[in-house]
């Protein structure tokens, strides 16, 4: 999700950490023939877990999103001599078969993305699905994630009746599709986590602008030297980014705070939809509900589909 800092200044001596990893994590059983999904730092190399270091030392092979990046990461920790298997978004289906063969031979294979927790807006999901489908084991080694890191400092659900959050990840690259995606999120009563690359942040800011005063927390360069976290209205995001060229550098995680109006009016919208759906076809009911409530049509349409499905489901 975000890329770990590989600069020499960011590299302490991890010799003691490797010894501590063996002492702390070594007694645990690590079954052979298992895929280990290993979270790696999103910026600060010191955020690696002791179990991650131990399993990376123990693994017979390491599958990875970018072999050059992973080689640098392993060298920073003092881990050498591990076979690296490239497995990224362009070859995941084929490369997964090579991993399956190693697992069938009883090998331990670790998988790491460039940074963060694998298979969360990163390659790895297809690999795990293939491993599960083959009846083989996969084990998670939790750790750094830009998603949970951004949520932890956003305060996005304080004072709200909404619970949980929605992970939307990267929105579509095409402007029309991106605008449609933002429109769908407009009435979401929960916090929404977005990810974005620096070269597309200006476009995302423009897409979020119609949300007006709805707060968004922007977390840039999380855990790195120039980490920056700011909360501001969606309408002001583009201006804030343009005020300093440095603000468009680095990887971004954003938390779109719950829409206050949507949280307050969700029950009322449901009441209107249920009343109209009882008498009218779905499209006509949604059209009329949009006129009555002023809520986004796409959001009401998706909610209407959910209400119809709930009503059609057999009751216990």
């Amino acid at each position: 999700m975000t890329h770990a800092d590989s600069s020499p200044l960011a590299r302490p001596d991890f010799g003691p950490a490797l010894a501590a990893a063996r002492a702390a994590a070594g007694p645990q059983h690590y079954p052979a023939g298992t895929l280990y999904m290993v979270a790696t730092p999103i910026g600060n190399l010191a955020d690696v877990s002791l179990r991650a270091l131990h399993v990376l030392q123990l693994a017979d092979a390491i599958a990875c999103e970018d072999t050059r990046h992973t080689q640098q990461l392993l060298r920073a920790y003092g881990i050498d001599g591990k076979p690296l298997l490239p497995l990224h978004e362009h070859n995941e289906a084929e490369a997964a078969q090579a991993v399956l063969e190693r697992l069938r031979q009883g090998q331990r294979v670790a998988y790491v993305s460039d940074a963060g927790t694998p298979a969360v807006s990163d390659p790895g999901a297809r690999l795990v699905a293939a491993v599960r489908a083959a009846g083989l084991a996969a084990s998670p080694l939790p750790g750094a994630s830009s998603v949970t890191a951004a949520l932890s400092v956003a305060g996005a659900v304080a004072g709200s009746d909404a619970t949980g959050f929605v992970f939307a990840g990267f929105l579509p690259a095409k402007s029309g599709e991106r605008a449609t995606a933002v429109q769908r999120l407009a009435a979401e009563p929960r916090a929404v986590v977005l990810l974005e690359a620096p070269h597309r942040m200006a476009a995302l800011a423009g897409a979020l602008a119609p949300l007006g005063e709805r707060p968004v927390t922007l977390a840039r360069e999380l855990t790195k030297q120039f980490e920056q976290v700011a909360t501001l209205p969606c309408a002001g995001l583009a201006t804030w980014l343009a005020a300093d060229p440095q603000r468009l550098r680095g990887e971004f995680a954003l938390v779109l705070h719950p829409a206050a109006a949507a949280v307050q009016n969700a029950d009322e919208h449901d009441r209107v939809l249920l009343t109209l759906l009882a008498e009218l076809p779905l499209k006509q009911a949604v059209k009329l509900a949009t006129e009555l409530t002023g809520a986004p049509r796409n959001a009401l349409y998706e909610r209407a589909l959910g209400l119809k499905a709930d009503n059609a489901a057999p009751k216990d």
Side-chain angles (χ1 to χ4, degrees):
M1 280 176 283
T2 55
H3 295 276
D5 188 349
S6 58
S7 65
L9 292 177
R11 294 178 180 172
D13 177 11
F14 281 95
L18 293 178
R22 286 190 290 270
Q28 181 177 341
H29 179 53
Y30 297 92
T34 298
L35 173 68
Y36 293 90
M37 300 295 282
V38 182
T40 55
I42 61 175
N44 191 318
L45 291 173
D47 286 340
V48 70
S49 74
L50 292 178
R51 282 215 306 146
L53 289 177
H54 182 69
V55 167
L56 291 174
Q57 293 179 91
L58 184 67
D60 297 293
I62 299 173
C64 53
E65 185 177 358
D66 184 325
T67 56
R68 293 170 299 180
H69 180 86
T70 299
Q71 187 66 66
Q72 291 178 352
L73 187 71
L74 294 175
R75 284 175 180 164
Y77 294 132
I79 300 173
D80 295 307
K82 295 294 179 179
L84 300 182
L85 314 174
L87 190 150
H88 45 75
E89 61 177 328
H90 303 296
N91 77 339
E92 190 167 357
E94 304 92 323
Q97 298 307 310
V99 173
L100 290 177
E101 184 57 34
R102 286 177 177 268
L103 296 178
R104 292 188 180 107
Q105 293 172 10
Q107 294 187 22
R108 298 179 182 90
V109 179
Y111 179 74
V112 297
S113 62
D114 282 350
T117 302
V120 181
S121 275
D122 279 342
R126 291 181 181 177
L127 171 62
V128 173
V131 168
R132 293 296 189 189
L136 299 167
S139 178
L141 271 72
S145 166
S146 61
V147 175
T148 51
L151 279 168
S152 71
V153 294
V157 295
S160 168
D161 291 333
T163 58
F165 67 94
V166 175
F167 176 62
F170 292 91
L171 296 187
K174 294 183 178 179
S175 59
E177 295 176 359
R178 184 169 54 242
T180 299
V182 170
Q183 188 178 17
R184 285 199 300 268
L185 297 175
E188 173 57 56
R190 293 166 292 180
V192 180
V193 180
L194 304 170
L195 303 176
E196 195 51 273
H199 68 281
R200 295 197 336 183
M201 264 306 300
L204 178 61
L208 293 176
L211 300 185
E213 294 301 306
R214 183 168 176 177
V216 59
T217 294
L218 178 147
R220 185 180 73 85
E221 293 284 76
L222 282 170
T223 77
K224 298 182 183 179
Q225 182 178 357
F226 299 107
E227 172 184 283
Q228 189 171 26
V229 178
T231 299
L232 59 157
C234 286
L237 181 55
T239 301
W240 186 87
L241 289 169
D244 182 352
Q246 295 297 319
R247 291 175 178 174
L248 279 173
R249 301 185 65 178
E251 303 292 326
F252 295 84
L254 301 94
V255 180
L256 186 62
H257 291 228
V263 172
Q264 295 168 2
N265 296 331
D267 290 342
E268 177 63 17
H269 293 172
D270 282 1
R271 186 188 68 78
V272 172
L273 282 170
L274 286 169
T275 300
L276 294 173
L277 287 170
E279 304 293 336
L280 299 170
L282 186 142
K283 288 185 178 180
Q284 192 174 349
V286 169
K287 182 180 182 214
L288 188 53
T290 301
E291 295 173 0
L292 291 171
T293 66
R297 182 185 180 281
N298 287 345
L300 288 177
Y301 186 82
E302 291 191 3
R303 182 57 182 153
L305 289 174
L307 290 171
K308 284 182 68 70
D310 289 344
N311 289 339
K315 308 300 182 186
D316 293 333

